[in-house]
Amino acid sequence: MEKNEIYLIHGTDYFEMTKRLLSEAGLSDMIGERDASVGIKPNLVAASAPSQGATTHGEVVAGLLAYLQEQGFSRITVMEGSWVGADTMRSLRAAGYDQVLKRYQVPFVDLQKDGFREYDASGMKIKVCDAALSVDFMINVPVLKGHCQTTVTCALKNNKGVIPNSEKRRFHTLGLHKPIAHLNTVAKNDFILVDNICGDLDFEEGGNPVPMDRILGFADPVLCDAFVCDTMGFSVSEVPYIGMAEALGVGSSDLSQAKLHALNEPVSAVPSGRPARRVEKLSRYVLADDACSACYGSLIHALNRMDEAGLLEKRLLKHPIAIGQGWQKKEGEIGIGRCSGCCRRSLKGCPPKAGEIFSFLEACWGK
Ligand code: SF4
C-alpha cells in the first residue's frame, strides 16, 4: 500500500469488513517478517461502549487480530492509556476487549502504568511510553469523531494515548495542536485502521454517535486526518495540528493526490434504537427513505456544521431534505445524493461528503 492510498469499506459486519480491508490493503506485506512485533493502539479514551461513538469497536480489533494470526504473526500486543482521570482497565472492559483479548490470547499493556522516556520530537521534548516505541510495526486504530477543542480527532490525536498522564496534562497547557503535531514525529503510525462506524458528532467522550458504518485504511496519518476533515465538513486549515504535522514531515494532507479504493457500495441500514438527542434534533430537517448510513451520516455532519454557523433556521423545515434510495423515482424540493436526482435541486454523489452538502445547502438557502 502506498502512502497516498485509502481503502474504504461499507457494511455492518465489522469483523469481516476489517479482515477484507486488511487483505485488500496488503497489511501482511507491509509488516514483512512474521517474527516482527506488532502493536495495536485502539481508542479507549474512557469507560464507554463503542456504540456511544467514543471508543474503537471490539469487532474491529477482533478482525485485526484474526487477520494477523491467520497471516502467521504471533508477537502482537494491544496497548492504550485512557485519558487523565479514567482507569484504562475499566475502559477496556466497557468496550468488551477483555473477551476479545482472551479469545485471541493477546496481551494488553496499560500505558498509564508503563515506563517512559523523553525524546526530541523535532525540536520539542516529549515523553513517550516504552511499549509504544518498542514494537517493530504499530497499527493505530482510532475512531473518526468530533472534538470540542481540536474540532476533529482521528489518527494524529489518537497517539496522545501513548504518552504518560503527566505529559497529557502538559499538552493541554500547550494548547494541544503543537504538541500533537510534534508527538507524531516520534510516535509510530505504520498503518491506520479507522473505525468510522458511529463516531461522535462533537465530543471525544461520545454520547451523540452518528452511524456511518464504514472502516478505512491509511498508510499516512496526515492524509487520514485530512480525509476526516472532508468527511465531517471542515477544511484542513480549521484543524491546526494537521498542517503543523505536515510541515514537520509526518505526511501529506493533499487529498487531490489520494487514490481511493472503495471496496463496495454504501449499504442501506435499518437504524437500531433511538438516535442520540442531538442527532434526533438535526434529523428534523431530513426526509429519509431507505438512506445508506454513510449518506445520512454525512448529511447529519453537514447540518451540525450549519447549526454551529447559525445557518439552520426554522424556514428550512418547510422543505425537509430528501435522502435515500426510496427517493429514486420521487419528486421533491431539495435532495442529497445520487438517489435524489428527481428532486428540483439535488446534489450528486454516492455518498456526497459533508463539506459538499454544506456548500450545496448554503447555496440553496442563501447565507
Ligand atoms: S446516494 Fe443513494 S445509494 Fe448512494 S449512498 Fe446515498 S442513499 Fe445510498
Side-chain angles (χ1 to χ4, degrees):
M1 181 176 177
E2 302 295 328
K3 286 272 187 192
N4 68 334
E5 289 184 289
I6 303 172
Y7 283 80
L8 164 65
I9 190 163
H10 300 266
T12 52
D13 185 342
Y14 310 132
F15 178 84
E16 289 299 336
M17 284 159 64
T18 300
K19 287 181 68 183
R20 174 154 178 231
L21 184 141
L22 298 176
S23 171
E24 299 273 353
L27 178 65
S28 59
D29 290 342
M30 290 173 74
I31 302 172
E33 300 296 327
R34 293 312 191 252
D35 63 354
S37 58
V38 180
I40 295 175
K41 158 66 179 83
N43 185 329
L44 293 173
V45 62
S48 172
S51 58
Q52 289 300 302
T55 51
T56 308
H57 283 71
E59 298 97 313
V60 173
V61 173
L64 175 53
L65 292 172
Y67 169 84
L68 289 172
Q69 291 183 348
E70 282 167 20
Q71 293 293 319
F73 297 97
S74 58
R75 298 178 62 210
I76 307 167
T77 308
V78 179
M79 59 186 80
E80 168 65 316
S82 294
W83 68 4
V84 177
D87 179 280
T88 306
M89 299 315 283
R90 264 195 74 213
S91 307
L92 181 101
R93 288 189 292 275
Y97 283 40
D98 47 342
Q99 299 301 318
V100 173
L101 296 173
K102 193 171 164 194
R103 193 179 328 142
Y104 292 94
Q105 294 290 299
V106 169
F108 179 80
V109 175
D110 177 354
L111 295 177
Q112 284 184 332
K113 297 188 173 139
D114 196 27
F116 54 84
R117 280 174 50 202
E118 188 172 81
Y119 296 85
D120 179 358
S122 293
M124 188 177 233
K125 299 276 185 216
I126 295 181
K127 298 183 182 77
V128 183
C129 297
D130 295 338
L133 293 189
S134 70
V135 291
D136 297 320
F137 193 95
M138 178 62 93
I139 302 171
N140 184 352
V141 199
V143 176
L144 186 164
K145 59 184 171 176
H147 188 277
C148 57
Q149 289 165 292
T150 59
T151 310
V152 304
T153 167
C154 199
L156 294 167
K157 195 176 161 301
N158 194 39
N159 273 328
K160 203 160 147 275
V162 305
I163 57 176
N165 278 353
S166 57
E167 202 68 332
K168 287 178 195 147
R169 288 192 197 94
R170 190 173 75 95
F171 269 35
H172 282 273
T173 67
L174 297 172
L176 286 178
H177 290 280
K178 187 176 173 193
I180 288 171
H182 280 264
L183 167 63
N184 278 279
T185 65
V186 287
K188 289 167 171 262
N189 286 294
D190 298 307
F191 186 78
I192 303 109
L193 179 65
V194 177
D195 176 335
N196 183 202
I197 294 169
C198 63
D200 193 85
L201 207 52
D202 302 301
F203 293 107
E204 191 177 12
E205 65 269 42
N208 282 294
V210 180
M212 297 282 283
D213 288 328
R214 303 195 302 190
I215 295 171
L216 297 120
F218 296 84
D220 178 341
V222 176
L223 190 72
C224 170
D225 284 12
F227 184 91
V228 170
C229 288
D230 221 22
T231 296
M232 297 185 72
F234 295 96
S235 68
V236 169
S237 61
E238 290 176 271
V239 188
Y241 67 73
I242 300 176
M244 291 175 182
E246 183 170 31
L248 291 169
V250 176
S252 166
S253 68
D254 187 359
L255 286 170
S256 69
Q257 297 301 312
K259 193 171 168 194
L260 177 68
H261 304 273
L263 302 181
N264 58 8
E265 293 281 312
V267 289
S268 158
V270 181
S272 60
R274 189 177 168 155
R277 192 177 298 175
R278 176 129 186 82
V279 174
E280 191 174 32
K281 185 182 157 217
L282 294 169
S283 68
R284 287 187 304 151
Y285 301 92
V286 182
L287 270 180
D289 188 352
D290 217 4
C292 298
S293 347
C295 215
Y296 193 83
S298 297
L299 176 56
I300 292 295
H301 282 298
L303 290 173
N304 189 45
R305 290 236 57 207
M306 296 197 86
D307 194 26
E308 286 171 352
L311 297 172
L312 269 191
E313 297 165 12
K314 282 199 172 149
R315 64 193 169 93
L316 265 173
L317 289 167
K318 286 187 195 159
H319 296 294
I321 301 153
I323 187 169
Q325 297 178 43
W327 279 93
Q328 279 173 3
K329 291 183 183 151
K330 284 198 288 192
E331 292 181 4
E333 182 66 21
I334 292 178
I336 297 297
R338 183 181 71 187
C339 296
S340 68
C342 295
C343 289
R344 202 166 71 79
R345 283 175 287 187
S346 103
L347 174 67
K348 303 276 177 291
C350 179
K353 294 171 184 158
E356 296 165 347
I357 298 173
F358 183 98
S359 304
F360 170 75
L361 292 176
E362 200 176 42
C364 283
W365 296 108
K367 293 190 180 184

